[in-house]
mmCIF file of all heavy atoms in Angstrom:
data_model
loop_
_atom_site.group_PDB
_atom_site.id
_atom_site.type_symbol
_atom_site.label_atom_id
_atom_site.label_comp_id
_atom_site.label_asym_id
_atom_site.label_seq_id
_atom_site.Cartn_x
_atom_site.Cartn_y
_atom_site.Cartn_z
ATOM 1 N N LEU L 226 0.879 -1.170 -0.055
ATOM 2 C CA LEU L 226 -0.030 -0.026 -0.028
ATOM 3 C C LEU L 226 0.883 1.260 -0.012
ATOM 4 O O LEU L 226 0.538 2.234 -0.643
ATOM 5 C CB LEU L 226 -0.948 -0.036 1.222
ATOM 6 C CG LEU L 226 -1.979 1.123 1.345
ATOM 7 C CD1 LEU L 226 -2.818 1.188 0.073
ATOM 8 C CD2 LEU L 226 -2.784 0.975 2.587
ATOM 9 N N ALA L 227 1.990 1.147 0.666
ATOM 10 C CA ALA L 227 2.884 2.362 0.695
ATOM 11 C C ALA L 227 3.439 2.694 -0.650
ATOM 12 O O ALA L 227 3.770 3.846 -0.900
ATOM 13 C CB ALA L 227 4.067 2.047 1.673
ATOM 14 N N ASP L 228 3.554 1.680 -1.521
ATOM 15 C CA ASP L 228 3.950 2.015 -2.914
ATOM 16 C C ASP L 228 2.856 2.687 -3.802
ATOM 17 O O ASP L 228 3.175 3.330 -4.762
ATOM 18 C CB ASP L 228 4.350 0.637 -3.618
ATOM 19 C CG ASP L 228 5.692 0.160 -3.002
ATOM 20 O OD1 ASP L 228 6.398 0.888 -2.454
ATOM 21 O OD2 ASP L 228 5.967 -1.121 -3.259
ATOM 22 N N PHE L 229 1.600 2.392 -3.345
ATOM 23 C CA PHE L 229 0.549 3.011 -4.135
ATOM 24 C C PHE L 229 -0.053 4.274 -3.537
ATOM 25 O O PHE L 229 -0.598 5.140 -4.276
ATOM 26 C CB PHE L 229 -0.586 1.953 -4.330
ATOM 27 C CG PHE L 229 -0.231 0.793 -5.213
ATOM 28 C CD1 PHE L 229 0.263 -0.313 -4.784
ATOM 29 C CD2 PHE L 229 -0.397 0.984 -6.555
ATOM 30 C CE1 PHE L 229 0.572 -1.378 -5.568
ATOM 31 C CE2 PHE L 229 -0.116 -0.061 -7.439
ATOM 32 C CZ PHE L 229 0.419 -1.302 -6.965
ATOM 33 N N TYR L 230 0.086 4.456 -2.284
ATOM 34 C CA TYR L 230 -0.362 5.657 -1.581
ATOM 35 C C TYR L 230 0.849 6.443 -1.197
ATOM 36 O O TYR L 230 1.290 6.387 0.006
ATOM 37 C CB TYR L 230 -1.205 5.321 -0.347
ATOM 38 C CG TYR L 230 -2.707 5.329 -0.507
ATOM 39 C CD1 TYR L 230 -3.532 4.890 0.424
ATOM 40 C CD2 TYR L 230 -3.223 5.894 -1.742
ATOM 41 C CE1 TYR L 230 -4.951 4.875 0.222
ATOM 42 C CE2 TYR L 230 -4.689 5.955 -1.882
ATOM 43 C CZ TYR L 230 -5.472 5.394 -0.851
ATOM 44 O OH TYR L 230 -6.821 5.510 -1.060
ATOM 45 N N CYS L 231 1.519 7.180 -2.101
ATOM 46 C CA CYS L 231 2.635 7.990 -1.734
ATOM 47 C C CYS L 231 2.677 9.196 -2.674
ATOM 48 O O CYS L 231 1.908 9.248 -3.666
ATOM 49 C CB CYS L 231 3.965 7.191 -1.950
ATOM 50 S SG CYS L 231 4.220 6.579 -3.554
ATOM 51 N N LEU L 232 3.491 10.156 -2.358
ATOM 52 C CA LEU L 232 3.561 11.440 -3.130
ATOM 53 C C LEU L 232 4.039 11.241 -4.591
ATOM 54 O O LEU L 232 3.722 11.952 -5.423
ATOM 55 C CB LEU L 232 4.368 12.463 -2.391
ATOM 56 C CG LEU L 232 3.761 12.970 -1.036
ATOM 57 C CD1 LEU L 232 4.738 13.858 -0.358
ATOM 58 C CD2 LEU L 232 2.433 13.642 -1.329
ATOM 59 N N GLU L 233 4.894 10.115 -4.735
ATOM 60 C CA GLU L 233 5.474 9.920 -6.072
ATOM 61 C C GLU L 233 4.363 9.672 -7.119
ATOM 62 O O GLU L 233 4.541 9.973 -8.336
ATOM 63 C CB GLU L 233 6.361 8.739 -6.106
ATOM 64 C CG GLU L 233 7.819 9.007 -5.542
ATOM 65 C CD GLU L 233 7.773 9.089 -4.024
ATOM 66 O OE1 GLU L 233 7.269 8.083 -3.353
ATOM 67 O OE2 GLU L 233 8.241 10.018 -3.453
ATOM 68 N N VAL L 234 3.238 9.029 -6.711
ATOM 69 C CA VAL L 234 2.236 8.669 -7.737
ATOM 70 C C VAL L 234 1.471 9.895 -8.278
ATOM 71 O O VAL L 234 0.736 9.788 -9.228
ATOM 72 C CB VAL L 234 1.154 7.685 -7.142
ATOM 73 C CG1 VAL L 234 1.813 6.388 -6.576
ATOM 74 C CG2 VAL L 234 0.305 8.287 -6.053
ATOM 75 N N LEU L 235 1.745 10.981 -7.662
ATOM 76 C CA LEU L 235 1.054 12.239 -8.190
ATOM 77 C C LEU L 235 1.805 12.810 -9.339
ATOM 78 O O LEU L 235 1.316 13.707 -9.947
ATOM 79 C CB LEU L 235 0.977 13.294 -7.012
ATOM 80 C CG LEU L 235 0.195 12.871 -5.745
ATOM 81 C CD1 LEU L 235 0.248 13.934 -4.758
ATOM 82 C CD2 LEU L 235 -1.221 12.552 -6.128
ATOM 83 N N LYS L 236 3.025 12.259 -9.686
ATOM 84 C CA LYS L 236 3.699 12.690 -10.917
ATOM 85 C C LYS L 236 3.076 12.121 -12.149
ATOM 86 O O LYS L 236 2.696 10.958 -12.134
ATOM 87 C CB LYS L 236 5.177 12.347 -10.813
ATOM 88 C CG LYS L 236 5.941 13.006 -9.604
ATOM 89 C CD LYS L 236 7.314 12.388 -9.551
ATOM 90 C CE LYS L 236 8.025 12.903 -8.345
ATOM 91 N NZ LYS L 236 9.206 12.125 -7.928
ATOM 92 N N GLU L 237 3.014 12.971 -13.211
ATOM 93 C CA GLU L 237 2.316 12.451 -14.422
ATOM 94 C C GLU L 237 3.045 11.234 -15.045
ATOM 95 O O GLU L 237 2.397 10.424 -15.699
ATOM 96 C CB GLU L 237 2.376 13.619 -15.426
ATOM 97 C CG GLU L 237 1.531 14.867 -15.004
ATOM 98 C CD GLU L 237 0.052 14.702 -15.220
ATOM 99 O OE1 GLU L 237 -0.359 14.069 -16.212
ATOM 100 O OE2 GLU L 237 -0.680 15.266 -14.332
ATOM 101 N N ASP L 238 4.275 11.149 -14.818
ATOM 102 C CA ASP L 238 5.059 10.044 -15.484
ATOM 103 C C ASP L 238 5.437 8.927 -14.545
ATOM 104 O O ASP L 238 6.356 8.104 -14.809
ATOM 105 C CB ASP L 238 6.337 10.555 -16.186
ATOM 106 C CG ASP L 238 7.292 11.265 -15.109
ATOM 107 O OD1 ASP L 238 6.737 11.516 -14.020
ATOM 108 O OD2 ASP L 238 8.374 11.560 -15.487
ATOM 109 N N HIS L 239 4.729 8.758 -13.421
ATOM 110 C CA HIS L 239 5.010 7.750 -12.425
ATOM 111 C C HIS L 239 4.784 6.348 -13.026
ATOM 112 O O HIS L 239 3.710 6.125 -13.527
ATOM 113 C CB HIS L 239 4.293 7.950 -11.148
ATOM 114 C CG HIS L 239 4.531 6.944 -10.134
ATOM 115 N ND1 HIS L 239 5.697 6.840 -9.430
ATOM 116 C CD2 HIS L 239 3.798 5.843 -9.732
ATOM 117 C CE1 HIS L 239 5.668 5.810 -8.607
ATOM 118 N NE2 HIS L 239 4.464 5.146 -8.789
ATOM 119 N N LYS L 240 5.798 5.442 -12.764
ATOM 120 C CA LYS L 240 5.594 4.070 -13.237
ATOM 121 C C LYS L 240 5.421 3.113 -12.046
ATOM 122 O O LYS L 240 6.189 3.229 -11.128
ATOM 123 C CB LYS L 240 6.780 3.664 -14.116
ATOM 124 C CG LYS L 240 6.978 4.355 -15.410
ATOM 125 C CD LYS L 240 8.199 3.904 -16.183
ATOM 126 C CE LYS L 240 8.322 4.497 -17.532
ATOM 127 N NZ LYS L 240 8.419 5.927 -17.553
ATOM 128 N N TYR L 241 4.421 2.257 -12.152
ATOM 129 C CA TYR L 241 4.152 1.353 -11.034
ATOM 130 C C TYR L 241 4.987 0.099 -11.100
ATOM 131 O O TYR L 241 5.095 -0.626 -10.145
ATOM 132 C CB TYR L 241 2.720 0.994 -10.983
ATOM 133 C CG TYR L 241 1.773 2.098 -10.641
ATOM 134 C CD1 TYR L 241 1.055 2.767 -11.582
ATOM 135 C CD2 TYR L 241 1.667 2.515 -9.327
ATOM 136 C CE1 TYR L 241 0.238 3.878 -11.216
ATOM 137 C CE2 TYR L 241 0.818 3.573 -8.903
ATOM 138 C CZ TYR L 241 0.104 4.250 -9.860
ATOM 139 O OH TYR L 241 -0.676 5.249 -9.478
ATOM 140 N N SER L 242 5.575 -0.185 -12.280
ATOM 141 C CA SER L 242 6.409 -1.410 -12.435
ATOM 142 C C SER L 242 7.625 -1.018 -13.270
ATOM 143 O O SER L 242 7.683 -0.053 -13.966
ATOM 144 C CB SER L 242 5.556 -2.513 -13.081
ATOM 145 O OG SER L 242 5.205 -2.126 -14.391
ATOM 146 N N GLU L 243 8.691 -1.889 -13.184
ATOM 147 C CA GLU L 243 9.907 -1.568 -13.818
ATOM 148 C C GLU L 243 9.789 -1.361 -15.320
ATOM 149 O O GLU L 243 10.385 -0.526 -15.907
ATOM 150 C CB GLU L 243 10.936 -2.660 -13.470
ATOM 151 C CG GLU L 243 11.595 -2.574 -12.107
ATOM 152 C CD GLU L 243 12.527 -3.639 -11.855
ATOM 153 O OE1 GLU L 243 13.097 -4.197 -12.871
ATOM 154 O OE2 GLU L 243 12.721 -3.997 -10.706
ATOM 155 N N SER L 244 8.954 -2.235 -15.901
ATOM 156 C CA SER L 244 8.798 -2.153 -17.377
ATOM 157 C C SER L 244 8.007 -0.925 -17.796
ATOM 158 O O SER L 244 8.075 -0.535 -18.984
ATOM 159 C CB SER L 244 8.051 -3.410 -17.887
ATOM 160 O OG SER L 244 6.732 -3.395 -17.372
ATOM 161 N N GLY L 245 7.276 -0.389 -16.881
ATOM 162 C CA GLY L 245 6.504 0.872 -17.218
ATOM 163 C C GLY L 245 5.252 0.637 -17.915
ATOM 164 O O GLY L 245 4.650 1.489 -18.434
ATOM 165 N N ILE L 246 4.749 -0.691 -17.952
ATOM 166 C CA ILE L 246 3.526 -0.953 -18.598
ATOM 167 C C ILE L 246 2.341 -0.312 -17.835
ATOM 168 O O ILE L 246 1.381 0.276 -18.293
ATOM 169 C CB ILE L 246 3.274 -2.498 -18.644
ATOM 170 C CG1 ILE L 246 4.334 -3.177 -19.472
ATOM 171 C CG2 ILE L 246 1.863 -2.807 -19.211
ATOM 172 C CD1 ILE L 246 4.283 -4.644 -19.426
ATOM 173 N N TYR L 247 2.527 -0.419 -16.459
ATOM 174 C CA TYR L 247 1.447 0.185 -15.584
ATOM 175 C C TYR L 247 2.016 1.526 -15.162
ATOM 176 O O TYR L 247 3.030 1.709 -14.485
ATOM 177 C CB TYR L 247 1.193 -0.703 -14.358
ATOM 178 C CG TYR L 247 0.710 -2.039 -14.774
ATOM 179 C CD1 TYR L 247 1.618 -3.122 -14.926
ATOM 180 C CD2 TYR L 247 -0.625 -2.311 -14.978
ATOM 181 C CE1 TYR L 247 1.216 -4.408 -15.330
ATOM 182 C CE2 TYR L 247 -1.096 -3.543 -15.321
ATOM 183 C CZ TYR L 247 -0.154 -4.537 -15.547
ATOM 184 O OH TYR L 247 -0.563 -5.814 -15.965
ATOM 185 N N HIS L 248 1.327 2.641 -15.568
ATOM 186 C CA HIS L 248 1.842 3.960 -15.197
ATOM 187 C C HIS L 248 0.691 4.948 -15.075
ATOM 188 O O HIS L 248 -0.482 4.666 -15.425
ATOM 189 C CB HIS L 248 2.820 4.459 -16.368
ATOM 190 C CG HIS L 248 2.146 4.477 -17.709
ATOM 191 N ND1 HIS L 248 1.322 5.481 -18.126
ATOM 192 C CD2 HIS L 248 2.145 3.547 -18.749
ATOM 193 C CE1 HIS L 248 0.826 5.231 -19.292
ATOM 194 N NE2 HIS L 248 1.328 4.096 -19.751
ATOM 195 N N GLN L 249 0.987 6.130 -14.507
ATOM 196 C CA GLN L 249 0.002 7.147 -14.365
ATOM 197 C C GLN L 249 -0.290 7.775 -15.771
ATOM 198 O O GLN L 249 0.513 7.768 -16.574
ATOM 199 C CB GLN L 249 0.534 8.273 -13.422
ATOM 200 C CG GLN L 249 0.341 8.113 -11.994
ATOM 201 C CD GLN L 249 -1.156 8.038 -11.628
ATOM 202 O OE1 GLN L 249 -2.041 8.141 -12.433
ATOM 203 N NE2 GLN L 249 -1.445 7.952 -10.289
ATOM 204 N N ILE L 250 -1.531 8.287 -15.863
ATOM 205 C CA ILE L 250 -1.908 8.932 -17.165
ATOM 206 C C ILE L 250 -2.286 10.372 -16.769
ATOM 207 O O ILE L 250 -2.723 10.661 -15.629
ATOM 208 C CB ILE L 250 -2.927 8.190 -17.997
ATOM 209 C CG1 ILE L 250 -4.303 8.203 -17.326
ATOM 210 C CG2 ILE L 250 -2.543 6.792 -18.291
ATOM 211 C CD1 ILE L 250 -5.378 7.682 -18.245
ATOM 212 N N PRO L 251 -2.166 11.330 -17.758
ATOM 213 C CA PRO L 251 -2.377 12.748 -17.330
ATOM 214 C C PRO L 251 -3.802 12.978 -16.762
ATOM 215 O O PRO L 251 -4.746 12.248 -17.150
ATOM 216 C CB PRO L 251 -2.282 13.454 -18.694
ATOM 217 C CG PRO L 251 -1.488 12.502 -19.586
ATOM 218 C CD PRO L 251 -1.775 11.158 -19.147
ATOM 219 N N THR L 252 -3.852 13.967 -15.827
ATOM 220 C CA THR L 252 -5.086 14.115 -15.142
ATOM 221 C C THR L 252 -6.083 14.847 -16.070
ATOM 222 O O THR L 252 -7.330 14.935 -15.713
ATOM 223 C CB THR L 252 -4.902 15.131 -13.873
ATOM 224 O OG1 THR L 252 -4.093 16.191 -14.331
ATOM 225 C CG2 THR L 252 -4.251 14.364 -12.847
#
């Protein structure tokens, strides 16, 4: 949960996995 609820996820280009398949998309 700490990886998903953190300030980094507010960045537009944040990647949830190393390959970058799962990433944030613009608001």
Side-chain angles (χ1 to χ4, degrees):
L226 183 58
D228 289 342
F229 287 95
Y230 263 171
C231 58
L232 292 174
E233 282 78 54
V234 303
L235 301 177
K236 295 174 186 161
E237 299 278 326
D238 57 350
H239 177 73
K240 293 181 173 60
Y241 290 102
S242 62
E243 282 178 26
S244 63
I246 297 171
Y247 301 92
H248 57 80
Q249 271 297 1
I250 67 172
T252 47

